[in-house]
Amino acid sequence: MAKACSGVVADVLFILFLSVGGGVFNHMRGEDGGMLSGKAWTGSCENPDDYDCLGYWLDHMYTRLLMALPTGALVHLITRDAKLSLVFTFLTFASIFIGWGTYFSLGYDEEGYNSRSGFLDWMLGRELQGWDWNRRWIRDFAGMGVRGLLWTLPAGHFLYRNGYSWKFSISGAVMPAIYTLANWPHGLWTADNWQPLECSIPSFSQDWAFSKGTPMAEFLFGAWLWLCLLLAIVPGPNVKTLFRGAVFNLYHVFAVLCAILFLASACWYATVKQKDHSNWGQTLAGLCISAVGLIVSISNVFYKRRRTASVSFVTVQHDERSPLLRPVDRSFNDVLNESDDDDDEYVISAYQETKSRRLRWVETFFSIASISATLMTLAFCFAALGWNWHSPRYCNDVHTTVPCP
């Protein structure tokens, strides 16, 4: 009993401490690289204080890679699957490009009606002057929830396709709750007393302390992202030929609906006109890649499921959670002549199942949080659709106090 408890504590501490790295990397991404800002490499630029000194696209690719590459490296370090790691990294990298500036104030910006068009305004409607906090928050919560799902669902479904837990793919729906907490008008996250002064050393004069607001939200969401990712991949994959059950059906109904939502958002956003063409282009590219990536992954899973259904299997039930499936078209001699590697695979599988049981209570807790946030996001999407039915979908100077950006 003591050994089992120590194993649980060790696994939980390992995951919690490693998750801090995700918070740091995501905070660096949001703060233009933090201490590794592009300004650190632009001493020869004419204007070192210009954040786009490297050029808009190179600068934005660099900051996105600061989060995508370490996350992909973490996946590869644990799974040892190069193909999975590369695809996961690419889908994560592309999804971070989607603009979210119109939603991440979570109702606290009373002049949000002056912002550019958001990718989900076709469904949520644009904010209008005079809205109260509740109405702004419901709209922004829905937009940020879908934005979080765009980050985790395409890459997370590809993880699921390779036998890992589906729970990471919906963890992005917690994004609006985290940003609401970080922007809440209280002093819990205020770091004025320990926030370091801006460094005066050239090339590294970047103040990226974990202050209240967006910086704190970036750190917390990055840590949450890695926490859910580790809980999904550390226990190891389940049997890859298992494509049935109520969870599979419910999960893929949700995934297909999200794929339609993402694709519709991309088609609508292509019609948006705004002055910042670079932001428009990166958001549209991220939407298209995320939508297509999710559709391809879903299609591949159903293709595999059809192939699996056409072959007879003998099920050796060694655990309710992970049945071992063997094809019946092998002869008895083939089974006898198998190498000892198969025995090693059974040992590894048993170890993974033991580790999975140790982490089940933690995984269950966080999956409840993710599922709850996902249901709230869907509910608020439809609430905003009905509530803001008559709101404009495109930016119009009539409804703003400044010209449309």
Side-chain angles (χ1 to χ4, degrees), residues 9-273:
V9 173
D11 287 337
V12 171
L13 289 177
F14 168 75
I15 290 175
L16 287 176
F17 286 135
L18 199 55
S19 299
V20 174
V24 172
F25 284 119
N26 193 48
H27 183 58
M28 291 170 66
R29 173 205 60 77
E31 296 300 306
D32 195 51
M35 291 187 297
L36 296 179
S37 166
K39 297 168 71 175
W41 323 110
T42 57
S44 60
C45 289
E46 295 181 0
N47 183 12
D49 293 328
D50 183 4
Y51 282 97
D52 293 335
C53 188
L54 295 177
Y56 182 91
W57 289 105
L58 184 59
D59 183 71
H60 281 67
M61 289 176 65
Y62 169 67
T63 53
R64 272 63 175 179
L65 286 172
L66 281 176
M67 181 60 181
L69 284 181
T71 306
L74 180 68
V75 172
H76 182 68
L77 180 66
I78 296 177
T79 65
R80 299 294 181 181
D81 188 330
K83 179 182 176 182
L84 169 63
S85 304
L86 288 173
V87 175
F88 184 92
T89 303
F90 174 73
L91 290 175
T92 301
F93 172 71
S95 67
I96 301 176
F97 270 98
I98 301 171
W100 50 13
T102 55
Y103 306 119
F104 70 7
S105 64
L106 269 301
Y108 292 104
D109 183 6
E110 296 181 359
E111 296 184 356
Y113 52 84
N114 288 324
S115 65
R116 60 170 61 99
S117 295
F119 69 91
L120 203 62
D121 282 358
W122 67 271
M123 184 177 190
L124 306 178
R126 282 186 58 82
E127 179 183 333
L128 295 179
Q129 191 173 8
W131 281 10
D132 59 16
W133 183 85
N134 291 327
R135 190 169 184 177
R136 294 196 305 267
W137 181 74
I138 288 177
R139 172 187 175 272
D140 290 348
F141 191 103
M144 283 292 281
V146 175
R147 176 63 186 82
L149 289 173
L150 274 161
W151 189 322
T152 58
L153 188 54
H157 190 276
F158 196 77
L159 277 179
Y160 177 83
R161 171 192 173 277
N162 285 269
Y164 293 90
S165 174
W166 54 270
K167 298 178 180 64
F168 168 76
S169 63
I170 65 170
S171 63
V174 181
M175 177 184 279
I178 292 175
Y179 274 73
T180 299
L181 173 65
N183 285 283
W184 195 267
H186 55 61
L188 290 179
W189 302 119
T190 302
D192 294 335
N193 294 328
W194 61 271
Q195 183 169 301
L197 297 176
E198 185 167 330
C199 183
S200 59
I201 301 176
S203 302
F204 291 95
S205 57
Q206 177 76 15
D207 183 0
W208 61 297
F210 299 148
S211 57
K212 183 178 68 175
T214 301
M216 176 57 72
E218 290 164 346
F219 172 78
L220 292 176
F221 182 70
W224 166 262
L225 207 68
W226 274 31
L227 176 65
C228 295
L229 178 61
L230 288 167
L231 287 172
I233 62 178
V234 165
N238 293 327
V239 179
K240 296 181 180 180
T241 51
L242 185 61
F243 295 118
R244 52 173 167 256
V247 172
F248 175 88
N249 294 328
L250 288 174
Y251 175 63
H252 279 89
V253 167
F254 171 73
V256 170
L257 290 176
C258 285
I260 296 173
L261 180 64
F262 298 165
L263 190 61
S265 298
C267 293
W268 176 84
Y269 196 76
T271 66
V272 170
K273 307 295 182 182

Side-chain angles (χ1 to χ4, degrees), residues 270-283:
T271 66
V272 170
K273 307 295 182 182
Q274 69 180 41
K275 297 176 182 178
D276 189 347
H277 298 293
S278 298
N279 177 271
W280 176 85
Q282 73 173 41
T283 299

Side-chain angles (χ1 to χ4, degrees), residues 353-364:
E353 287 299 324
T354 301
K355 181 176 288 188
S356 177
R357 285 194 295 270
R358 289 176 177 177
L359 297 174
R360 188 171 298 175
W361 65 274
V362 182
E363 184 183 33
T364 300

Side-chain angles (χ1 to χ4, degrees), residues 317-337:
Q317 191 78 24
H318 73 100
D319 187 281
E320 293 181 357
R321 180 170 179 173
S322 179
L324 177 66
L325 305 179
R326 285 186 174 276
V328 299
D329 55 352
R330 298 189 305 166
S331 66
F332 181 71
N333 289 331
D334 290 336
V335 176
L336 291 179
N337 292 331

